[in-house]
Amino acid sequence: MTEQTSQLTFLEKVVARSGLETTNEAQRAANVVFRLLRDMMTNKESNQIERDLRNNAPEAEQEAIDLWQDYNVMVGFFSRISPLKPLHIRPGTFLLRLREEGTLPEGVAPEQVAQAVFAATKEILPQERNQQVAEVLPGEIRHLWEQA
């Protein structure tokens, strides 16, 4: 983490690393990335990440907690009750959903956006949790997480 990015909010970090232009774009993208991550985890794993974000996020990055929970109450609710086990989401599906649901602007690569969200998240989470997240991710998505 550079001196410059250490003073930014979570969403500003995503903007700075992603090719997105606004924090609104970054918020939409982060919501989708976090939704996909939660869907690939057990509720226990997801709850632990939420606790880690609460315990470790600097004041300027507290928005990451709300993003993890999902601003959309219904989406957050259904994310908790369905599925009963983690989903197996293929890398192509992950990136397609990020592009479409995150309404990424033309010319902004979903890989770059995912990596930006991952990097900002990894700065907050403890190393052991970062490793646990990597273990649930498939192929190319895991590679993006590890490179972030």
Side-chain angles (χ1 to χ4, degrees):
M1 178 167 47
T2 68
E3 175 86 26
Q4 184 180 15
T5 60
S6 68
Q7 297 178 10
L8 300 175
T9 68
F10 182 85
L11 291 175
E12 289 169 340
K13 288 179 180 184
V14 173
V15 169
R17 296 170 172 156
S18 67
L20 297 172
E21 294 183 10
T22 69
T23 56
N24 285 336
E25 291 174 339
Q27 179 181 342
R28 278 193 311 272
N31 271 326
V32 173
V33 169
F34 283 172
R35 183 178 313 135
L36 290 163
L37 287 176
R38 285 192 316 269
D39 286 349
M40 291 188 283
M41 299 176 177
T42 65
N43 282 342
K44 181 180 177 183
E45 292 166 328
S46 176
N47 291 341
Q48 183 58 57
I49 288 176
E50 184 178 333
R51 280 191 296 276
D52 288 338
L53 290 172
R54 280 191 191 290
N55 293 333
N56 299 323
E59 189 172 326
E61 296 185 60
Q62 292 289 304
E63 63 201 347
I65 300 162
D66 292 333
L67 290 165
W68 183 261
Q69 294 173 330
D70 205 313
Y71 289 117
N72 184 322
V73 176
M74 292 304 292
V75 170
F77 172 74
F78 285 114
S79 186
R80 293 272 177 210
I81 64 167
S82 178
L84 295 176
K85 61 182 184 176
L87 293 176
H88 298 284
I89 298 174
R90 293 187 200 131
T93 303
F94 186 103
L95 296 171
L96 176 65
R97 285 185 61 189
L98 175 54
R99 175 176 295 294
E100 298 300 317
E101 294 174 33
T103 60
L104 299 184
E106 192 69 35
V108 175
E111 295 87 349
Q112 185 177 358
V113 173
Q115 201 166 28
V117 173
F118 290 167
T121 304
K122 286 176 70 173
E123 289 176 5
I124 300 172
L125 296 177
Q127 182 58 37
E128 97 181 41
R129 199 72 56 232
N130 286 332
Q131 183 59 40
Q132 288 175 341
V133 172
E135 290 170 7
V136 303
L137 299 175
E140 180 185 353
I141 304 306
R142 181 177 184 160
H143 180 73
L144 292 173
W145 176 268
E146 290 170 345
Q147 297 301 309

